[in-house]
Amino acid sequence: MARAEAQHVSTTTRLHNYASVQGEPVLLQAIRDHLKRKSTLDIDEKCIQVMSGGTSGLSVVCNTLLSAGDEVLLPAPFWPLIRGIVASRGATAVEIPFFTRLDETDFDVTAALETSITERTVALYINTPNNPTGRVLSPHVIDAMLKVAVKHNLWVLTDEAYEELRFTDEAPSPVWANPTVRDRVIATHTLSKGYGLAGARVGFTHGPVEIMAQIRAVQTFNVYCAARPMQLGAARALNDGRGWVDHARALYHEAGRRSADALGLPHPEGGTFLFFDTKPYLREGETSSVPFLLRCLDAGVLLTPGSASGRDYERYARLCFTCVPRHELDEALACLKAALNAQL
Ligand SMILES: Cc1ncc(COP(=O)(O)O)c(C=O)c1O
């Protein structure tokens, strides 16, 4: 895959100059082509903004949309940084136990969202495949969520970080392509995950033209532009990197299955995480996962506390699997199994 470090100043004119705020033309075109492959929609260039990765993209979106006191619905558990991004605007992250309830027969998606809505609710955040549960939302669940957003006139903020790391056979149409929410959906993507370019800090956001003009204005004062050499590398990755992405997806899929088997958990449907209740591993009197996590750390395994992904998940832990070479994964899993068995 072509990467930014392979580019030379002598062969790329003004490689280290500023880019335009919106983004390099070659990357904007690569993004349009990418979005067309995912949806068949031909998104107007004016509706696209290159960002310095997903974190920065979602921060700029929240800086544009949110005022102090506004409320954002966060189906939980969620990517840990989104709660802080919302809070940094003085807005309130309204946490709704969601992904861990999807298999409950009486779980009512509409009711779960509706009961959390107030007159200050302005947006609904949707992340599928989900960090940390590895769940992929079904079209049926997504439809119910979008109906609530339309009924209550909410912005829909989609987080597409794991769009390339979905392991299910069906390829559901992206949330942002749903015709019922095209006027209210703002989607943020990143090359950090499927393309393995986390250090390059390149992502992009798209949405309705008027709000994208405001987002571009906020981007100007927050970041100005994403790094030009990295934008050129990202364009090459989007245009030519599908072989890389397919290979990465297969490796992550395998690592996810093997990690889930080691823990006796269902296989993840996407993403790079497993999220589990640590109750079987807790000792008498322990109510949060922290003592368990410390014991795992002593055994050489680093897990994330579930509370980082929502206040209802104190007893949970998140495991991140990566596509390291097979023998390294085996070593890590052996270490994890030993740590778990020692606790039972
Ligand atoms: C769900 C989700 N959204 C956004 C991001 C941020 O991505 P980036 O590395 O591009 O800032 C991450 C990174 O872990 C993530 O898991």
Side-chain angles (χ1 to χ4, degrees):
M1 183 201 266
R3 289 181 177 259
E5 57 264 33
Q7 297 170 129
H8 298 289
V9 180
S10 56
T11 54
T12 311
T13 326
R14 297 190 287 276
L15 181 62
H16 294 291
N17 276 21
Y18 288 112
S20 72
V21 171
Q22 187 182 5
E24 278 297 307
V26 66
L27 177 55
L28 291 169
Q29 185 56 50
I31 292 167
R32 285 182 74 180
D33 294 343
H34 171 83
L35 298 176
K36 203 168 183 176
R37 280 193 298 272
K38 295 276 173 205
S39 70
T40 74
L41 290 179
D42 191 2
I43 309 258
D44 193 310
E45 196 173 288
K46 289 201 283 295
C47 300
I48 300 171
Q49 171 63 47
V50 173
M51 297 293 193
S52 298
T55 309
S56 177
L58 280 155
S59 298
V60 170
V61 169
C62 287
N63 280 347
T64 310
L65 297 182
L66 303 181
S67 305
D70 284 347
E71 295 173 9
V72 179
L73 304 182
L74 297 188
F78 41 74
W79 167 53
L81 268 63
I82 191 63
R83 181 169 55 186
I85 289 174
V86 170
S88 69
R89 288 297 297 158
T92 304
V94 179
E95 305 184 18
I96 305 171
F98 196 89
F99 290 92
T100 44
R101 302 195 57 205
L102 288 172
D103 296 331
E104 294 174 15
T105 44
D106 61 348
F107 180 52
D108 181 340
V109 171
T110 309
L113 298 177
E114 293 261 2
T115 51
S116 300
I117 290 177
T118 72
E119 71 277 2
R120 293 306 308 261
T121 312
V122 295
L124 165 66
Y125 167 79
I126 302 182
N127 169 227
T128 176
N130 170 251
N131 172 359
T133 60
R135 295 300 302 260
V136 170
L137 293 175
S138 69
H140 163 75
V141 169
I142 290 170
D143 276 358
M145 297 173 90
L146 298 186
K147 279 202 179 95
V148 173
V150 171
K151 179 173 164 198
H152 294 277
N153 195 23
L154 307 180
W155 288 106
V156 177
L157 310 185
T158 78
D159 180 341
E160 309 292 334
Y162 299 95
E163 65 178 331
E164 301 292 5
L165 297 179
R166 189 180 37 72
F167 313 137
T168 49
D169 289 336
E170 337 74 72
S173 170
V175 176
W176 50 263
N178 189 306
T180 64
V181 289
R182 291 287 305 139
D183 58 342
R184 64 181 65 252
V185 71
I186 304 172
T188 299
H189 304 240
T190 173
L191 278 86
S192 292
K193 310 296 176 178
Y195 293 90
L197 289 172
R201 312 310 296 134
V202 183
F204 52 96
T205 294
H206 54 101
V209 70
E210 304 78 20
I211 197 69
M212 288 311 298
Q214 291 180 40
I215 286 172
R216 189 159 303 125
V218 173
Q219 163 80 353
T220 310
F221 300 111
N222 277 222
V223 187
Y224 195 75
C225 65
R228 188 164 185 263
M230 299 305 173
Q231 291 198 49
L232 301 179
R236 296 277 295 275
L238 284 180
N239 287 335
D240 306 333
R242 281 189 292 292
W244 165 286
V245 170
D246 290 344
H247 184 57
R249 186 186 308 107
L251 292 176
Y252 273 112
H253 192 181
E254 171 69 1
R257 274 193 301 242
R258 289 160 60 77
S259 307
D261 288 345
L263 280 137
L265 296 173
H267 293 168
E269 297 166 318
T272 64
F273 304 100
L274 298 173
F275 194 68
F276 60 100
D277 190 344
T278 63
K279 190 167 179 225
Y281 308 108
L282 296 185
R283 296 181 183 158
E284 213 174 314
E286 293 175 348
T287 51
S288 98
S289 60
V290 173
F292 163 78
L293 297 177
L294 290 173
R295 292 194 285 274
C296 286
L297 200 55
D298 286 342
V301 181
L302 178 62
L303 304 172
T304 310
S307 56
S309 292
R311 57 153 193 257
D312 296 293
Y313 297 98
E314 286 237 339
R315 224 175 54 192
Y316 282 69
R318 186 185 76 169
L319 176 145
C320 178
F321 52 85
T322 61
C323 52
V324 291
R326 178 76 173 255
H327 70 275
E328 285 181 32
L329 179 67
D330 285 343
E331 266 171 42
L333 290 178
C335 201
L336 176 65
K337 276 194 217 166
L340 296 180
N341 289 336
Q343 318 227 13
L344 286 172

